[in-house]
Amino acid sequence: MELTSRLTIGGEPFFPRIIEHRGEPLSRLKALGFNGARVARVPAPELLAEAARTGMWLVAPPPAEAELKAGRDAAGDATIGAAFDPVLAWDLGSGLSSRELEPTRRWAELVRSADPRQRPIVCDADSDLENYTRPPFKVLLARRDTLGTSLELGRYADWLDERAQLARAGAPLWAAIPTQPSPRLVEQVQLVAGMPVAAPVWQEAQIRALVHLALAARARGLFFTSDSRLDAPDAATRVRALMLELVHLELELIERWPSAGDFAAGADTSDPHTKGGVMETDRSRLLLPIYAPPGGQFVVGTQPAAQVRFKVAGVPEGDNAYELSLARFRPLRADRVAGGTQVVLDEFSRDSLVVFTQDPRVIRNLQTRLDKNRRRAAHVARELAAARLAAHDAIVAQLAQVGHALAAAQDARAQAESDLRQCDAMLNTDVAGAYDLARHALATVRQIERVYWEQATAAPNRPLADPLAASFATLPAFYRFRHQIAVAPRSNNLLSEGGCENLDAMLRAGWKHYLHEQEGIKTAVDLTPGAAHSGSAGLLLRAASVEENRKPAAVETPAVWVTSAPVAVEPGDLVQMQAWLRIDAPIAGSVDGLLVIDTLSGEALALGLSATRGWEQITTYRAAARRGPMAVTFALSGLGEAAIDDVTIEIVRHASPGRRQAQR
């Protein structure tokens, strides 16, 4: 096993597709397309034997430091024996920071000296990335919740680029892909609604877009997060399994590019919200279309244009273009234009990839891989489309009950149903045609969902103002909640000194100011008249480069943050937080800008704002799961200035049926 920037096993390139193991049989995970599983503990002999039997790799913690020291042989060397052969890489933990660096490094050194196979050592570090990617460490796992957060879908690749810039040059990057909403988001959905409601559900196109964005950002491995078993019998798990299988069928088809290829400049496109990632080998290029509209991390929809043009630079003379889907590989018209080669994907092909090559070996290899799985791909796509249409109908019925069904969506819904009927009729005679129809039905359903979501979030409130706008599945609860809080009484403002007028008074009330010193960055927090929305002063957070001509390209962690005074909350309390913010120039060096984080929902539901149009008021609704203090943190994650004023926290006397019952 060797690892430079690429991983090879037995001399062959290998692209890890890892899933968190939650107790499922490894054979089930392999059937869905994964080639490895991440386990939370040193694997037991039974799991190692199962991995060896099924041909699955494990990413696992190594034996503990004390065990490695105790196991040294007479020559002074500890050895990790053949029983651990199914382990692909050693996992030294998550959320690592500077505090854990030295003990983690000592452990890694022991592992390296004990492991005759010199397996890669993986770290999921939050900070000090350069040191966590120096030997003996090998791989940086970049992990964060993306879907259902304030991070725009298209900026996920930018965030990965930031992590790579902060790491040691050339360190391999494995990117995390979420497959479920974060536990904090699920908790807040239930608490804010005050009654059991549907959990957020992600679309297959969102997961696929994240995969393509990760590949375009030079990821050499993918790590799919999972909080529950993938062999559970419920409908939501079945849909998630189908989505992941469809994604992995594509990854199996194209894995030669991310495992052994290089990365080229992205393609220009005719759609402002569509990107084009490009990977290349010495004999071919692969174009990855990526649709990432604003709000795509909540509901992605479909490109509104009937056709999307892509211009790819550097395609060699003589290379032909081919449309590549999970069911067909066929020539595609390509035109030489100024600056590159142009191809066009239409309504039925815009979910396809594009291959540029003139090498018959590449063509034969793709045809062989395609022939192996095309029938399965058509059946999976058809089953997924039918399941999504049924789920769509159930949500639309609930939306009708709250007066928000869209009559204009009926024709599109009928088209999706028609596509599925034709797909069923063609499955045994025209696999490629059946697959195209299933994909078209999926695209139609997600576009209907996008229209519903856009109508619900058309008001100036940001989508995460309350967590019920986080997905199509939660929109019925969103409308019920909005109707109830529109007339619900509020308490008086419970936050002391949120007017930001007097520093001594703020400190006495419990406001706190934190600095995270970073080389080359100077920070300041002031009360100043220039930051006042009302009154005589407001809070101004500043972070700047010490040397103007040597600005860091990426800022690792927020350099300055301020936390409000605490407010006491009781279980079931619905909390409204409001603040006036002004960010005149975009925050540089971080995709997150100014982060607004409350202690009830944590970073999973943090609001990130890079710039505002003058003063903007933000409003968030969060619910308390337990008794205790609640506070709000304003963290400047990059370089720039942010003004904060008139922060208030109120309790909303929201009386949903579930909350009334809980309060009795």
Side-chain angles (χ1 to χ4, degrees):
M1 186 179 302
E2 296 181 7
L3 180 69
T4 53
S5 64
R6 303 177 181 88
L7 178 64
T8 61
I9 298 178
E12 291 296 318
F14 182 78
F15 186 72
R17 303 189 302 273
I18 311 296
I19 182 75
E20 284 182 296
H21 185 240
R22 297 300 180 187
E24 312 94 327
L26 295 180
S27 57
R28 171 59 176 159
L29 300 178
K30 185 173 185 179
L32 294 177
F34 298 101
N35 54 26
R38 186 192 199 194
V39 296
R41 299 178 179 84
V42 178
E46 296 79 10
L47 184 61
L48 289 165
E50 183 184 2
R53 186 171 62 252
T54 57
M56 284 282 282
W57 292 100
L58 299 178
V59 175
E65 183 176 353
E67 183 177 345
L68 291 172
K69 288 180 177 178
R72 292 184 186 277
D73 58 24
D77 295 324
T79 57
I80 294 175
F84 287 99
D85 281 356
V87 173
L88 174 72
W90 300 115
D91 177 9
L92 267 61
S94 299
L96 299 171
S97 67
S98 301
R99 291 187 300 271
E100 296 85 25
L101 177 62
E102 287 311 312
T104 306
R105 185 189 299 279
R106 289 195 300 271
W107 190 16
E109 292 283 5
L110 281 170
V111 172
R112 184 172 65 172
S113 64
D115 184 7
R117 295 182 57 184
Q118 295 295 288
R119 276 164 274 226
I121 296 177
V122 180
C123 287
D124 176 7
D126 288 340
S127 62
D128 212 352
L129 301 192
E130 183 173 2
N131 283 320
Y132 274 111
T133 47
R134 291 186 179 278
F137 308 117
K138 294 289 187 180
V139 178
L140 174 64
L141 173 59
R143 173 175 181 167
R144 74 174 286 172
D145 289 316
T146 309
L147 302 180
T149 75
S150 63
L151 181 66
E152 290 286 350
L153 192 64
R155 302 218 69 187
Y156 174 64
D158 297 334
W159 179 78
L160 289 174
D161 284 339
E162 289 180 359
R163 306 305 280 178
Q165 290 177 47
L166 292 164
R168 178 181 58 85
L173 174 75
W174 292 2
I177 308 295
T179 71
Q180 292 175 283
S182 70
R184 277 292 186 94
L185 175 57
V186 173
E187 178 187 65
Q188 282 296 309
V189 163
Q190 303 300 326
L191 290 172
V192 170
M195 58 191 298
V197 297
V201 176
W202 306 140
Q203 299 168 322
E204 176 265 343
Q206 291 172 303
I207 296 175
R208 186 169 181 255
L210 288 177
V211 167
H212 287 184
L213 286 163
L215 296 181
R218 297 171 167 78
R220 291 297 185 183
L222 296 176
F223 167 60
F224 294 80
T225 66
S226 179
D227 295 312
S228 60
R229 297 174 64 113
L230 272 164
D231 60 348
D234 61 284
T237 298
R238 179 58 182 158
V239 167
R240 185 163 67 105
L242 289 168
M243 291 193 298
L244 291 172
E245 183 174 2
L246 206 59
V247 166
H248 280 292
L249 286 169
E250 181 178 274
L251 285 170
E252 289 178 13
L253 184 62
I254 66 170
E255 65 181 351
R256 185 73 184 184
W257 280 280
S259 65
D262 293 311
F263 303 94
D268 295 331
T269 78
S270 60
D271 182 88
H273 304 309
T274 300
K275 301 172 182 270
V278 181
M279 294 182 290
E280 61 184 6
T281 66
D282 56 348
R283 300 193 301 270
S284 62
R285 289 183 181 235
L286 177 70
L287 168 65
L288 303 165
I290 308 163
Y291 180 55
Q297 71 273 32
F298 303 112
V299 181
V300 73
T302 304
Q303 293 103 323
Q307 296 182 333
V308 180
R309 297 187 303 276
F310 296 84
K311 184 172 68 176
V312 183
V315 175
E317 289 282 351
D319 272 15
N320 298 312
Y322 298 87
E323 176 200 347
L324 176 64
S325 75
L326 291 182
R328 67 169 78 248
F329 182 62
R330 63 184 178 186
L332 183 68
R333 176 177 172 175
D335 298 311
R336 289 282 173 177
V337 297
T341 300
Q342 179 176 279
V343 294
V344 177
L345 297 180
D346 62 21
E347 183 180 359
F348 276 86
S349 63
R350 58 187 165 202
D351 281 342
S352 299
L353 312 177
V354 179
V355 175
F356 299 93
T357 190
Q358 56 181 308
D359 192 314
R361 291 170 296 179
V362 174
I363 295 171
R364 284 197 302 270
N365 179 271
L366 287 172
Q367 288 283 14
T368 300
R369 289 171 177 259
L370 201 61
D371 291 343
K372 176 184 175 183
N373 289 323
R374 76 169 78 221
R375 187 170 297 278
R376 177 60 186 167
H379 281 272
V380 172
R382 187 266 168 214
E383 190 174 349
L384 178 58
R388 291 308 303 259
L389 184 58
H392 160 274
D393 289 345
I395 298 300
V396 168
Q398 295 177 43
L399 287 166
Q401 293 174 2
V402 295
H404 286 278
L406 294 177
Q410 290 302 309
D411 289 346
R413 192 258 172 230
Q415 180 61 57
E417 186 174 28
S418 174
D419 286 341
L420 282 177
R421 285 198 301 268
Q422 294 180 65
C423 172
D424 288 341
M426 297 169 64
L427 270 173
N428 294 322
T429 57
D430 183 358
V431 171
Y435 174 81
D436 288 345
L437 287 163
R439 293 292 306 195
H440 191 258
L442 273 170
T444 300
V445 169
R446 69 173 180 260
Q447 181 56 23
I448 298 172
E449 294 179 353
R450 174 74 181 194
V451 171
Y452 271 103
W453 181 82
E454 287 179 342
Q455 183 189 60
T457 58
N461 288 320
R462 296 177 182 272
L464 273 180
D466 73 70
L468 297 172
S471 82
F472 172 73
T474 56
L475 290 184
F478 167 84
Y479 281 116
R480 285 192 295 268
F481 174 75
R482 285 287 166 174
H483 175 73
Q484 291 160 359
I485 64 167
V487 295
R490 272 74 167 164
S491 71
N492 294 327
N493 175 31
L494 303 177
L495 178 62
S496 297
E497 301 301 327
C500 304
E501 296 291 323
N502 183 289
L503 180 59
D504 289 338
M506 292 177 71
L507 293 174
R508 287 195 301 270
W511 285 75
K512 296 179 181 179
H513 163 218
Y514 300 91
L515 291 177
H516 184 89
E517 294 186 2
Q518 297 177 58
E519 184 178 354
I521 297 176
K522 57 184 178 181
T523 63
V525 176
D526 298 302
L527 288 183
T528 172
H533 171 258
S534 67
S536 61
L539 192 63
L540 185 65
L541 276 59
R542 290 180 290 184
S545 176
V546 172
E547 299 181 45
E548 185 62 26
N549 61 348
R550 296 184 63 186
K551 291 183 178 179
V555 177
E556 188 167 65
T557 58
V560 56
W561 63 95
V562 170
T563 298
S564 75
V567 170
V569 294
E570 296 291 327
D573 277 353
L574 179 66
V575 179
Q576 174 186 284
M577 189 283 295
Q578 293 185 309
W580 285 91
L581 308 175
R582 193 187 74 217
I583 308 171
D584 294 330
I587 306 298
S590 170
V591 298
D592 292 312
L594 177 71
L595 287 169
V596 184
I597 312 165
D598 65 87
T599 54
L600 299 181
S601 59
E603 293 186 17
L605 272 71
L607 296 185
L609 300 90
S610 182
T612 64
R613 297 179 179 178
W615 282 102
E616 286 188 18
Q617 186 182 42
I618 62 166
T619 301
T620 64
Y621 295 97
R622 303 290 186 260
R626 57 197 62 86
R627 176 182 293 110
M630 178 258 187
V632 179
T633 294
F634 301 90
L636 193 59
S637 67
L639 304 180
E641 294 185 351
I644 303 161
D645 202 5
D646 295 333
V647 186
T648 62
I649 294 177
E650 301 172 355
I651 304 298
V652 181
R653 309 304 182 191
H654 173 39
S656 71
R659 186 166 283 106
R660 283 198 301 268
Q661 186 175 13
Q663 290 174 344
R664 289 197 181 108

